[in-house]
């Protein structure tokens, strides 16, 4: 089910208190319109009633698409700091729904599903686009690391994020988003061959890929924000 409930959002521009509709879960099988709204960026977005500024409260929801075999837990982009606790919580929720603590029937369904922790609206849209293109999201993150390496002065990782926004057989288009506002700062077109190279030469990338083993948060920033291990 996709249940909405009203929450108050204070406009950062004029201070007006707006009532916005927020949902704790999206069921894309029953509400394909919500999936479409996530893709076009209009989901849970509305204008301030007083000044017209666009308001979008950060995500905090679960997303289920049985037809596409996708289960995501989504939280706000700034939760990358201390993501480990959030990932634990996502794993427990997954385990109860479709994993080790679910009913045998649900567990069987869960075996063929992709479970992810996703941080921020641009990241959620990216997952939907990537999986629709049939991309391996671990390879996509490794591809981004290559893009970063090539840049003379990449935007700062704690204020920006690089997200896939579209793609085809020739190219993957990624865009730098400002974390706080989701504003697109700059788009980068990456030849699809750079992604294909990662898929075609798994041995060359095995060491890096191993760092995502068992992870729900498939996001290169986890390598940067990981808490120091004891
Ligand atoms: Zn306002």
């Amino acid at each position: 089910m996709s249940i909405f409930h009203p929450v108050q959002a204070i406009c950062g521009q004029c201070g007006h208190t707006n009532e916005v509709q927020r949902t704790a879960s999206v069921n894309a099988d029953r509400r394909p319109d919500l999936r479409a709204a996530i893709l076009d960026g209009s989901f849970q977005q509305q204008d301030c009633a007083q000044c017209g500024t666009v308001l979008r409260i950060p995500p905090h929801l679960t997303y289920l698409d049985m037809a596409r075999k996708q289960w995501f837990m989504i939280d706000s982009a700034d939760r990358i700091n201390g993501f480990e606790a959030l990932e634990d919580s996502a794993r427990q929720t997954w385990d109860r729904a479709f994993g080790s603590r679910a009913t045998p029937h649900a567990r069987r369904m869960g075996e063929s599903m992709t479970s992810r922790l996703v941080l921020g609206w641009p990241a959620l849209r990216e997952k939907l686009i990537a999986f629709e293109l049939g991309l391996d999201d671990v390879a996509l993150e490794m591809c981004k690391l290559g893009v970063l390496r090539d840049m003379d002065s990449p935007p700062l990782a704690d204020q920006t994020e690089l997200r896939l926004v579209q793609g085809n057989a020739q190219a993957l288009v990624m865009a730098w988003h400002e974390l706080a506002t989701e504003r697109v700062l700059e788009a980068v077109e990456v030849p699809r061959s750079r992604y294909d190279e990662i898929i075609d030469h798994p041995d060359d990338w095995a060491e890096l890929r191993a760092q995502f083993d068992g992870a729900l948060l498939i996001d290169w920033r986890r390598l940067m924000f990981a808490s120091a291990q004891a």
Side-chain angles (χ1 to χ4, degrees), residues 11 71 98 103 166 221:
C11 173
W71 179 95
F98 295 103
T103 62
Q166 64 182 83
R221 296 180 307 152

Side-chain angles (χ1 to χ4, degrees), residues 9-18 47-55:
I10 296 167
C11 173
Q13 201 65 37
C14 74
H16 180 72
T17 301
N18 291 267
D47 297 339
C48 171
Q50 186 161 282
C51 75
T53 297
V54 175
L55 303 172

